[in-house]
Amino acid sequence: DGGITQSPKYLFRKEGQNVTLSCEQNLNHDAMYWYRQDPGQGLRLIYYSQIVNDFQKGDIAEGYSVSREKKESFPLTVTSAQKNPTAFYLCASKSSGSEQFFGPGTRLTVL
Amino acid sequence: GQNIDQPTEMTATEGAIVQINCTYQTSGFNGLFWYQQHAGEAPTFLSYNVLDGLEEKGRFSSFLSRSKGYSYLLLKELQMKDSASYLCAVRYSSASKIIFGSGTRLSIRP
């Protein structure tokens, strides 16, 4: 089945540690996205990538990094520089002219 | 910035009709999406508008006025399962950059 997967579903991290969230899609989509969602809030764009080996900062990129070495994969690293990383992280992909398809999300908690 | 504004919360009655409004900055506009999101889940696609007018899809319709920077989502024959957040999202100049509003939390009462 085609789709977009994120792992893990729940993630706990100690303050000061970097952590990488996985996002994989087999939809053959060119564009991929990372959003952050805080309780009761909308989605805020962290990074997006329109094509392999290229990505752009969104509105809240500070403290995060990404890579796009393969079309199928767009991992997000939450670094220790991110002051308030506890949130729900959503990955999405789309092809040109279509809507975004979202993964199930990763809930990150910093202890 | 590219502010997208929606009401924070709305309440409606089962069987009724509700309209959720969304306003956005028009510069660089290149399409508008509506998504539904149940608590703790990923958003699911409802509708897409790029030209002015009304798009109807079953109980849900979406309207766009590009000159006014305005859209609404209309939900008819409300059901309890329609209780969710509704997110307005706008695609700007770059075909891939998509920005979301803060969402409207809709509660349906019997």
Side-chain angles (χ1 to χ4, degrees):
Chain A
D1 282 4
I4 179 165
T5 58
Q6 292 183 242
S7 62
K9 191 175 175 76
Y10 298 95
L11 187 58
F12 297 88
R13 148 194 144 179
K14 290 183 181 178
E15 209 168 324
Q17 288 181 336
N18 291 358
V19 63
T20 297
L21 282 59
S22 164
C23 178
E24 304 278 332
Q25 54 99 359
N26 61 3
L27 300 167
N28 201 33
H29 287 169
D30 286 317
M32 296 187 74
Y33 305 78
W34 275 105
Y35 292 92
R36 169 186 172 136
Q37 187 173 37
D38 293 286
Q41 304 295 312
L43 279 62
R44 290 187 289 167
L45 182 63
I46 305 172
Y47 269 98
Y48 65 105
S49 167
Q50 299 184 74
I51 197 168
V52 174
N53 292 323
D54 183 58
F55 48 82
Q56 287 80 39
K57 293 182 179 180
D59 297 326
I60 56 165
E62 186 174 347
Y64 299 98
S65 66
V66 292
S67 62
R68 187 85 187 276
E69 296 175 2
K70 298 186 299 181
K71 188 175 187 177
E72 302 79 19
S73 178
F74 191 41
L76 173 75
T77 298
V78 184
T79 75
S80 56
Q82 169 50 236
K83 297 305 177 192
N84 186 21
T86 294
F88 186 43
Y89 289 87
L90 284 159
C91 179
S93 70
K94 75 183 286 293
S95 62
S96 97
S98 82
E99 71 274 18
Q100 287 171 308
F101 291 83
F102 284 85
T106 293
R107 196 167 296 279
L108 173 65
T109 302
V110 174
L111 304 172
Chain B
Q2 291 142 332
N3 292 341
I4 300 170
D5 293 317
Q6 311 176 229
T8 303
E9 291 188 47
M10 298 182 71
T11 302
T13 304
E14 192 176 13
I17 298 173
V18 71
Q19 177 175 312
I20 302 174
N21 296 327
C22 172
T23 58
Y24 61 88
Q25 292 187 328
T26 57
S27 176
F29 174 82
N30 194 18
L32 186 143
F33 302 85
W34 283 96
Y35 286 83
Q36 180 191 61
Q37 185 181 28
H38 285 98
E41 298 181 7
T44 54
F45 172 74
L46 291 177
S47 68
Y48 172 62
N49 295 72
V50 66
L51 299 176
D52 291 349
L54 188 69
E55 294 281 341
E56 297 186 78
K57 193 185 290 186
R59 294 190 298 117
F60 294 3
S61 304
S62 57
F63 172 83
L64 177 68
S65 169
R66 289 174 295 171
S67 62
K68 294 181 180 176
Y70 168 69
S71 173
Y72 67 73
L73 180 69
L74 192 72
L75 291 74
K76 303 175 189 174
E77 302 168 17
L78 286 169
Q79 302 174 10
M80 297 303 291
K81 68 177 181 179
D82 297 330
S83 292
S85 287
Y86 291 86
L87 307 174
C88 173
V90 177
R91 182 169 60 196
Y92 283 100
S93 296
S94 152
S96 293
K97 184 175 185 182
I98 298 174
I99 302 296
F100 280 75
S102 297
T104 298
R105 193 160 51 251
L106 176 65
S107 300
I108 310 298
R109 56 177 177 241

